[in-house]
Amino acid sequence: MTLRKKILGGYLAIVVIQAVMVAWAVTDFRLLGEATEEILRENYRSIVAADAMIKNLERQDSATLLLLVEGREAAQLQFQHNQSEFLRWLARAEDNITIPGEEAVVEEIDAAYSDYLSAYAAVTGAHPDEVGSQELYREELLPRFERVRDACTTLRTMNHETMVSESVKTKLMSKASLTRIAWLAGITIGVGALLSLFLADLLTHPLQEMMLATSMIAVGRYDVSIRSDTKDELGELARRIKTMSAKLKGFRDLNVGRLMEERKRLEAVLRSIADGVVVMDDRLRVVLLNPAATAIFGVWPDEMKGRPVVDLLKDDNLYEAIQGTASTGRGSLERGEIRLTREDQAGHVRHFRCASTPVVTEDGATLGVVLVLQDLTRLLEADRLKNEFIMAASHELRTPLTGMVMSLKLLGERLALKADDEEKVLLSTADEEARRLRALVEDLLDLSKISS
């Protein structure tokens, strides 16, 4: 299995565990919310029904007093209207029985209200005087009215207490759910941490062995031991480090003659390089100049060997950069580019990009510095010619393009009434393309100005 698959597998397991935890928590809270909402909604319906029945019952009682005392016929209509409303809400209460004991209370309301209606019919059917009507009301209707109202109040109180009880239960269930989620989150975090530690160990342990091996190779100890029994990328890298160590050991064991041969080859390569190369020792004295460097500085190779490089360069900035490379062991390009300007024998100015590189031993000691001078004269001249060409082309193209745009505009104005649709489209297209070309020329001109 590759290293990538191992890492992806580990993190996929963590993601799956987290997804399961989130799905479980969401489902738990959703079910809890739905159950709580359903219970509270049902109890609230019963409470609303009880309040409505009490209100309509009280209005019926008021209508009865008006009918008995004042004999108003409108009171009879008011009683009948509130009677129908009472019965409608009673039917809703009967259809919404959800808690124990609620059915008995609803039946009590039904029976008491039927008794109340019977008493109402008996009382309103008689025709006593005003005093007798009040007596009938107090003896017959008022006790039945209070019985119905008390039963409705009991229904309301029962559902209200149930809502309060369910609210307390919901809070307890929420706390329990949060506790379960906290435990599950802790387990998930723990499993994720263990998997992360496993993956970290899977990666860092072989890497630490490789770092130790490369440190030993850097100081010249090539007999390294790295575990390379895995078939992933780390195992392949370990096998290659071991192969590299073996090859470096073989290279170290080459005889002096072979090294001298390689040195001659190196000198031949330096002579064939078109860029100037100056090789210095640890004291910044000239050791080797290739032909390109002697041509740049106008000296003979044997004349400068063993002399300080400052006598050859005659440039303080470049000499300070070489000193910095020798003291810090860092190439000059890491700190910035250095340019050198010289005149050749014909009096032409030539530009060079200079790069100094340290030559270090296996234990980190600096043996010297190599200076490379790359001739940029032709590149700079080509860049200058390119900018001049863009500037000239932009200026030369802008004038005829301006005239073309103006001509197309005048032609379009003259033919605005005479031209047909196809000719108008052609003129519009030509004008648009001419303006587009002029914008491109303006961009070229702006580019040349920016470059300048």
Side-chain angles (χ1 to χ4, degrees), residues 9 13 21 42 89 113 122 133 189 196 208 271 283 303 317 329 367 394 400 413 421:
M21 185 200 73
E42 292 173 350
W89 285 107
Y113 188 69
S133 297
I189 293 172
S196 299
Q208 289 174 352
R271 286 193 298 269
R283 297 183 182 179
E303 177 186 352
N317 292 332
L367 293 178
S394 300
E413 292 176 353
D421 293 340

Side-chain angles (χ1 to χ4, degrees), residues 217 222-224 240-253:
I217 293 173
Y222 302 109
D223 297 327
V224 297
R240 293 190 180 186
I241 290 177
K242 292 172 68 175
T243 302
M244 179 188 69
S245 176
K247 290 182 178 180
L248 288 174
K249 183 178 180 181
F251 180 77
R252 185 190 62 178
D253 295 338

Side-chain angles (χ1 to χ4, degrees), residues 151-427:
C152 293
T153 303
T154 302
L155 178 63
R156 182 179 61 185
T157 304
M158 179 185 300
N159 281 275
H160 182 268
E161 292 176 351
T162 302
M163 287 182 64
V164 174
S165 176
E166 291 299 330
S167 177
V168 174
K169 290 181 181 180
T170 301
K171 291 181 180 179
L172 295 176
M173 291 174 64
S174 299
K175 291 182 180 180
S177 181
L178 289 175
T179 303
R180 291 194 298 269
I181 292 174
W183 276 103
L184 185 59
I187 294 173
T188 303
I189 293 172
V191 173
L194 291 177
L195 286 174
S196 299
L197 290 175
F198 173 74
L199 290 174
D201 184 70
L202 181 67
L203 293 175
T204 57
H205 185 69
L207 290 176
Q208 289 174 352
E209 290 186 352
M210 294 177 195
M211 290 174 60
L212 179 60
T214 53
S215 300
M216 294 174 62
I217 293 173
V219 297
R221 297 172 58 186
Y222 302 109
D223 297 327
V224 297
S225 176
I226 307 176
R227 187 181 63 182
S228 59
D229 53 350
T230 59
K231 296 182 180 180
D232 54 14
E233 290 86 347
L234 292 176
E236 180 64 23
L237 180 60
R239 288 187 288 271
R240 293 190 180 186
I241 290 177
K242 292 172 68 175
T243 302
M244 179 188 69
S245 176
K247 290 182 178 180
L248 288 174
K249 183 178 180 181
F251 180 77
R252 185 190 62 178
D253 295 338
L254 292 175
N255 52 40
V256 178
R258 184 70 177 273
L259 293 176
M260 293 299 295
E261 182 181 350
E262 293 296 330
R263 180 179 179 181
K264 291 179 180 179
R265 291 179 182 175
L266 177 60
E267 292 177 352
V269 171
L270 291 176
R271 286 193 298 269
S272 63
I273 293 177
D275 295 333
V277 178
V278 180
V279 182
M280 295 156 274
D281 59 13
D282 57 341
R283 297 183 182 179
L284 302 183
R285 294 177 299 187
V286 178
V287 176
L288 178 66
L289 290 170
N290 72 338
T294 58
I296 292 171
F297 295 106
V299 296
W300 293 98
D302 295 337
E303 177 186 352
M304 294 303 302
K305 282 187 178 180
R307 294 179 57 182
V309 73
V310 66
D311 297 339
L312 174 69
L313 301 178
K314 298 179 182 179
D315 187 282
D316 294 337
N317 292 332
L318 182 56
Y319 181 67
E320 290 177 0
I322 294 174
Q323 284 182 318
T325 300
S327 60
T328 63
R330 297 170 54 194
S332 61
L333 293 179
E334 298 181 18
R335 301 187 299 274
E337 188 178 273
I338 301 174
R339 296 288 182 91
L340 178 67
T341 303
R342 307 286 292 186
E343 288 188 3
D344 57 12
Q345 295 178 353
H348 299 124
V349 177
R350 300 174 65 185
H351 303 274
F352 300 91
R353 180 168 56 191
C354 306
S356 59
T357 305
V359 180
V360 297
T361 62
E362 295 178 350
D363 57 357
T366 303
L367 293 178
V369 179
V370 177
L371 175 66
V372 179
L373 299 99
Q374 182 182 7
D375 194 347
L376 302 178
T377 306
R378 292 185 178 180
L379 294 176
L380 295 176
E381 180 65 18
D383 188 64
R384 184 184 65 81
L385 293 175
K386 178 200 69 176
N387 292 333
E388 290 179 356
F389 171 76
I390 293 175
M391 179 72 75
S394 300
H395 280 290
E396 294 297 330
L397 290 174
R398 185 167 59 174
T399 301
L401 281 173
T402 303
M404 185 185 300
V405 172
M406 293 180 64
S407 299
L408 288 171
K409 183 177 180 181
L410 292 174
L411 181 60
E413 292 176 353
R414 291 183 180 182
L415 298 179
L417 299 176
K418 299 178 181 180
D420 55 20
D421 293 340
E422 184 177 357
E423 291 173 344
K424 290 180 180 180
V425 171
L426 292 175
L427 283 173

